Amino acid sequence: MKAYWFDNLPGDQREDHDSGRAVDPNYLSNLGVLYYHYPSLSSVDDLASERNYRNRDEITVSPEKMGSVYEDKVKMFFHEHLHEDEEIRYILDGKGFFDVRSEGDDWVRIKLTQHDLIILPAGIYHRFTTDGKNYIKAMRLFKDEPKWTALNRAPELDENDSRKQYLQSRGGQTVSAH
């Protein structure tokens, strides 16, 4: 895992966009983002059990696996959104980026590689993309039946219960949707 401030320069979303300003994992933790490196699947199983996650699936994001819908899917994943549930992803192969919003509404880019696990809290604005190799295989963990419902950022989400709870847990810092 490597975390840094997104450079906001033009270019393909799959480029590193590394500003050269590193972000400490403790800062991520203050945002509610947790990171672990688990070379063994048994560690993932233990975490899932501790957090009451009963289901999982695997997704491969690549042109070979997704065919003609690949580019549209990657653009969809990169649209800024939140989930009403915590999101856990374990990287089985390949590389990708999760970008999360800071308390000041700037992007923090988190580069994940094989055996990295990330937990994003419900209500945090984020987005995802593969890297320039256009390939990542990840395990998605779910408390109940697998579901992935993205709520794209919009002013009305400021009133979303998950968003409000997230902001309260971070000390009430509010950043309105733009």
Side-chain angles (χ1 to χ4, degrees), residues 50-172:
E50 290 166 15
R51 297 178 89 85
N52 297 316
Y53 277 70
R54 294 186 289 273
N55 288 299
R56 61 185 71 184
D57 68 8
E58 293 181 6
I59 183 170
T60 301
V61 181
S62 73
E64 291 75 27
K65 284 287 185 184
M66 300 178 109
S68 62
V69 301
Y70 172 76
E71 288 295 332
D72 289 338
K73 285 287 188 186
V74 168
K75 286 177 186 165
M76 181 186 76
F77 295 153
F78 199 66
H79 196 93
E80 183 175 3
H81 62 277
L82 62 78
H83 302 286
E84 294 182 313
D85 298 308
E86 179 178 79
E87 180 172 351
I88 300 180
R89 300 294 180 264
Y90 177 65
I91 310 306
L92 296 164
D93 196 21
K95 296 177 187 160
F97 302 104
F98 277 91
D99 297 337
V100 297
R101 285 288 187 186
S102 72
E103 75 282 348
D105 213 31
D106 295 313
W107 285 116
V108 174
R109 176 152 274 199
I110 306 164
K111 183 177 188 175
L112 299 175
T113 61
Q114 187 176 39
H115 300 146
D116 288 340
L117 183 142
I118 192 168
I119 302 174
L120 301 179
I124 191 171
Y125 284 119
H126 66 283
R127 60 190 185 187
F128 170 79
T129 189
T130 58
D131 72 353
K133 293 185 180 175
N134 295 313
Y135 172 79
I136 193 166
K137 182 177 182 180
M139 178 184 295
R140 305 184 298 180
L141 286 81
F142 304 94
K143 286 194 177 208
D144 297 308
E145 290 304 309
K147 70 174 183 169
W148 188 88
T149 304
L151 303 175
N152 290 335
R153 189 168 184 174
E156 59 270 14
L157 278 185
D158 290 342
E159 297 306 315
N160 176 281
D161 286 340
S162 295
R163 179 68 180 158
K164 290 192 318 192
Q165 287 171 12
Y166 171 73
L167 292 172
Q168 273 187 327
S169 72
R170 311 271 65 84

Side-chain angles (χ1 to χ4, degrees), residues 19-65:
S19 66
R21 297 181 301 136
V23 171
D24 188 276
N26 290 326
Y27 180 78
L28 294 177
S29 180
N30 289 338
L31 294 175
V33 176
L34 304 177
Y35 162 78
Y36 303 95
H37 185 77
Y38 287 153
S40 164
L41 196 54
S42 65
S43 297
V44 177
D45 294 339
D46 291 344
L47 179 117
S49 179
E50 290 166 15
R51 297 178 89 85
N52 297 316
Y53 277 70
R54 294 186 289 273
N55 288 299
R56 61 185 71 184
D57 68 8
E58 293 181 6
I59 183 170
T60 301
V61 181
S62 73
E64 291 75 27
K65 284 287 185 184

